[in-house]
């Protein structure tokens, strides 16, 4: 499979786009779900489990997928969402990584916060230590946003160590490449927001802290970073020049154009900013690839349809990255981190539709990784940095549209003809958020909130809650929906994947990756 032939998701994308035109109906439970079906499926699952043997090969490659904000409720809702868009009742569906043989739970707290952020959690996964919220690649003795306090607290990341051992390395993301999750693979900073030199505080400048974008260019382990793809070009271009994506001035104040410096630093390197350039790239002979496809974050997957955007899909970037890394890895293998970062942003906006759509795109990227690698020598891990406050409830009948209002069953277990009403005599949705700005119909296709915080209950009787721009109701009024503190899932296959076996501290993921690589 090549990046030019990654259109397997086009049919599903078309279905998803068409399905929002009207309120979907309730799908019946599959007719083959007889008592005998359940008995046979249970026995089959048991036999498969009994036949599962630990893979104790030394891993040649490691691919870490991070669904930013992809809590278990998000996975469950996305599973149903995708199944329903494919014409089934949905609950019986599985996403690609849910077929992995080994599953565990990860405890996501930071050293100073019960409910975590992405910077501290990704540092835990990449560097093997828990640390504070808001800091990247430094230990808990660094004070956030205090450059002087961070000196001497830096901790190496697995990607830095992999490059130092001669492995090919890289990451792809749908966020800015300088955002917290990708930054934790290569940077060290007491403040996650120091993405460009324009973001540095006066104290940081005085004490010599370097912005995250510049640290990407300063990566000096092994042969350097082979792949870095995502958004955020404004942090790489000076304010005296225009960047090619939007034609607007860059953000840097130091006069440096880091995209040119990338090409000057590496032989056989490429800098690209459009999907067509990625599709035509010579992946065999390109050794170092920098792809920056948007000024800031890349678009949500639903707003980035294949063939209609200058931005590639996450599966396309994953395919290109793996092929390039395979070509450059020689006998040493590769490490790749893939982030579906905008799951998190859609949740912060209280927009479950886009969060589920981006989760589906992550599942397709995992499919691509599986098709391009071998289970015998490649450890693939799919996890999240933290969860969100998305909830699933209301006693909806089987097959009820996951984005719809709840239709419950009657006393005989059959679906009612009308939505269930709460005690305030108004219908409610299956999905909701604990906190955030709350309800918005976002009329006219405006995906931003058009009014102040609208938490609490609203009459949804005449509202299409399955529309892409609908924002679910929230209980607690906040300026943005927040992270949740419960455990997240770890799915794994390949060498030593069986070491994920229970409830783990999040930094344990780093030690499994190291062990699988034979370090």
């Amino acid at each position: 499979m090549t990046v030019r032939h990654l259109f397997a998701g086009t049919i599903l994308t078309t279905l998803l786009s068409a399905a929002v035109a009207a309120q979907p109906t309730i799908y019946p439970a599959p007719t083959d779900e007889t008592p005998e079906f359940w008995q046979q499926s249970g026995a089959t699952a048991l036999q498969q489990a009994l036949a599962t043997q630990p893979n104790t090969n030394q891993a040649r490659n490691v691919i870490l997928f991070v669904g930013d904000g992809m809590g278990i409720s998000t996975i469950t809702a996305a599973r149903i969402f995708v199944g329903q868009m494919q014409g089934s009742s949905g609950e019986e569906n599985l996403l690609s990584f849910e077929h992995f043989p080994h599953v565990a739970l990860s405890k996501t707290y930071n050293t100073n916060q019960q409910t975590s952020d992405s910077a501290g959690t990704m540092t835990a996964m990449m560097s093997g230590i828990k640390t504070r919220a808001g800091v990247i690649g430094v230990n808990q003795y660094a004070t956030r946003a205090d450059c002087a306090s961070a000196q001497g607290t830096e901790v190496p990341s697995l990607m830095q160590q992999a490059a130092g051992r001669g492995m090919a390395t890289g990451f792809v993301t749908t966020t800015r490449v300088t955002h917290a999750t990708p930054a934790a693979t290569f940077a060290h900073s007491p403040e996650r927001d120091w993405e460009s030199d324009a973001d540095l505080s006066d104290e940081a400048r005085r004490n010599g802290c370097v912005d995250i974008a510049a640290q990407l260019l300063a990566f000096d382990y092994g042969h350097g970073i082979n792949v870095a793809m995502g958004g955020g070009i404004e942090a790489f271009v000076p304010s005296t020049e225009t960047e090619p994506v939007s034609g607007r001035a860059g953000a840097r104040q130091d006069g440096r154009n880091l995209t040119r410096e990338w090409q000057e630093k590496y032989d056989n390197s490429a800098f690209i900013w459009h999907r067509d350039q990625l599709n035509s790239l010579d992946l065999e002979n390109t050794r170092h690839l920098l792809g920056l496809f948007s000024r800031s974050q890349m678009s949500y997957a639903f707003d980035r349809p294949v063939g209609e955007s200058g931005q590639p899909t996450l599966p396309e970037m994953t395919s290109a990255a793996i092929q390039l890394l395979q070509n450059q890895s020689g006998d040493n293998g590769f490490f790749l981190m893939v982030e579906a970062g905008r799951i998190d942003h859609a949740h912060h906006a209280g927009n479950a539709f886009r969060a589920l759509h981006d989760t589906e795109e992550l599942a397709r990227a995992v499919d691509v990784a599986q098709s391009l690698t071998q289970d015998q020598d490649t450890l693939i891990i799919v996890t999240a940095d933290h969860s969100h406050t998305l909830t699933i409830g209301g006693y909806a009948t089987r097959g009820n549209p996951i984005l719809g209002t709840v239709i419950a069953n009657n006393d005989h277990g059959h679906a009612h003809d009308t939505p269930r009403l709460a005690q305030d005599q108004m219908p409610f949705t299956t999905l909701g958020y604990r906190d955030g700005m709350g309800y918005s119909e976002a009329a006219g296709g405006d995906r931003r909130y058009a009014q102040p915080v609208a938490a609490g209950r609203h009459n949804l009787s005449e509202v299409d809650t399955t529309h892409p721009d609908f924002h679910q109701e929230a209980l607690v009024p906040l300026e943005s929906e927040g992270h949740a503190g419960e455990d997240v899932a770890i799915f794994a296959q390949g060498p030593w994947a069986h070491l994920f076996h229970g409830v783990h501290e999040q930094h344990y993921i780093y030690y499994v990756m190291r062990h699988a690589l034979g370090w």
Side-chain angles (χ1 to χ4, degrees), residues 20 84 92 128 152 213 259 316 323 326 343 351 355 416 460:
V20 300
Q84 290 181 344
E92 69 283 358
T259 66
E316 287 173 336
Q323 292 177 78
Q326 287 173 330
I343 299 170
N351 182 221
H416 283 290
L460 305 177

Side-chain angles (χ1 to χ4, degrees), residues 52 139 176 205 235 276 415 418 459:
T52 300
N139 66 37
R176 297 185 295 268
R205 296 175 192 276
D276 291 344
T418 57
N459 193 341

Side-chain angles (χ1 to χ4, degrees), residues 8-330:
T10 304
I11 296 175
L12 179 56
T13 301
T14 302
L15 286 168
L16 289 167
S17 302
V20 300
Q23 180 85 13
T25 57
I26 295 175
Y27 301 98
T31 56
D32 63 348
E33 288 185 358
T34 63
E36 292 76 19
F37 165 84
W38 295 116
Q39 292 168 348
Q40 183 58 50
S41 64
T44 299
L46 176 61
Q47 292 305 311
Q48 291 172 341
L50 291 171
T52 300
Q53 297 295 318
N55 179 346
T56 57
N57 295 337
Q58 179 174 319
R60 184 173 183 273
N61 315 307
V62 172
I63 305 176
L64 174 64
F65 284 91
V66 179
D68 197 312
M70 189 179 69
I72 292 176
S73 61
T74 300
I75 294 171
T76 302
R79 171 201 307 157
I80 298 171
F81 177 67
V82 173
Q84 290 181 344
M85 294 306 101
Q86 293 174 332
S88 71
S89 63
E91 294 85 358
E92 69 283 358
N93 184 48
L94 287 175
L95 301 174
S96 60
F97 52 85
E98 293 185 285
H99 292 281
F100 284 11
H102 302 285
V103 182
L105 293 175
S106 171
K107 297 161 66 176
T108 64
Y109 64 92
N110 297 130
T111 58
N112 66 329
Q113 285 187 191
Q114 194 172 75
T115 300
S116 59
D117 92 316
S118 298
T121 52
M122 191 60 180
T123 296
M125 287 188 274
M126 288 305 303
S127 299
I129 62 157
K130 288 226 173 199
T131 190
R132 291 175 175 267
V135 305
I136 292 170
V138 295
N139 66 37
Q140 72 266 32
Y141 299 120
T143 299
R144 182 172 182 178
D146 185 331
C147 177
S149 74
Q151 295 176 9
T153 66
E154 299 86 356
V155 286
S157 73
L158 186 109
M159 191 169 88
Q160 292 169 330
Q161 293 169 323
R165 290 171 180 260
M167 297 178 69
T169 59
F171 66 87
V172 299
T173 179
T174 53
T175 68
R176 297 185 295 268
V177 298
T178 51
H179 211 240
T181 300
T185 66
F186 64 86
H188 308 278
S189 176
E191 176 51 66
R192 58 175 289 174
D193 293 333
W194 290 347
E195 298 184 46
S196 163
D197 70 318
D199 303 319
L200 293 172
S201 67
D202 290 341
E203 185 272 339
R205 296 175 192 276
R206 287 195 307 272
N207 287 293
C209 276
V210 178
D211 65 273
I212 294 169
Q215 289 190 55
L216 179 65
L217 268 292
F219 190 97
D220 58 359
Y221 296 82
H223 300 292
I225 297 174
N226 295 96
V227 177
M229 283 193 284
I233 194 172
E234 65 175 338
F236 289 76
V237 176
S239 59
T240 55
E241 299 182 33
T242 57
E243 45 87 355
V245 177
S246 69
R248 296 166 58 189
R252 297 198 66 81
Q253 301 300 304
D254 57 8
R256 297 175 64 186
N257 187 314
L258 302 184
T259 66
R260 282 200 297 268
E261 290 186 23
W262 175 277
Q263 297 170 84
E264 294 166 356
K265 176 177 181 177
Y266 295 121
D267 294 332
N268 300 318
S269 64
F271 162 60
I272 60 175
W273 62 88
H274 195 281
R275 178 174 178 264
D276 291 344
Q277 295 171 309
L278 180 62
N279 287 346
S280 60
L281 193 67
D282 181 356
L283 296 174
E284 289 188 9
N285 295 309
T286 302
R287 297 185 61 185
H288 299 275
L289 171 62
L290 175 63
L292 301 173
F293 303 104
S294 61
R295 181 170 176 82
S296 183
Q297 320 286 11
M298 292 180 67
S299 299
Y300 293 112
F302 180 74
D303 305 311
R304 190 172 13 95
V306 175
E308 299 180 26
S309 170
Q311 299 178 16
T313 67
L314 187 62
E316 287 173 336
M317 290 191 291
T318 301
S319 175
I322 291 175
Q323 292 177 78
L324 188 153
L325 292 173
Q326 287 173 330
N327 291 330
Q328 298 304 320
S329 62

Side-chain angles (χ1 to χ4, degrees), residues 370-430:
Q370 290 183 275
S371 71
L372 292 174
T373 59
Q374 300 296 321
D375 187 30
Q376 288 305 303
D377 69 357
T378 302
L379 172 63
I380 300 179
I381 302 168
V382 182
T383 188
D385 44 1
H386 55 75
S387 183
H388 271 270
T389 70
L390 181 73
T391 60
I392 307 174
Y395 297 106
T397 191
R398 174 78 181 271
N400 196 74
I402 191 63
L403 292 169
T405 52
V406 169
I407 294 179
N409 290 333
N410 60 25
D411 292 342
H412 297 287
H414 302 296
H416 283 290
D417 295 327
T418 57
R420 181 184 177 190
L421 301 181
Q423 290 190 332
D424 57 12
Q425 299 306 301
M426 291 191 292
F428 56 95
T429 55
T430 300

Side-chain angles (χ1 to χ4, degrees), residues 419-456:
R420 181 184 177 190
L421 301 181
Q423 290 190 332
D424 57 12
Q425 299 306 301
M426 291 191 292
F428 56 95
T429 55
T430 300
L431 300 182
Y433 291 96
R434 191 200 78 130
D435 52 50
M437 289 187 72
Y439 163 76
S440 174
E441 192 175 358
D446 184 1
R447 295 183 297 278
R448 297 168 297 172
Y449 286 100
Q451 75 274 2
V453 170

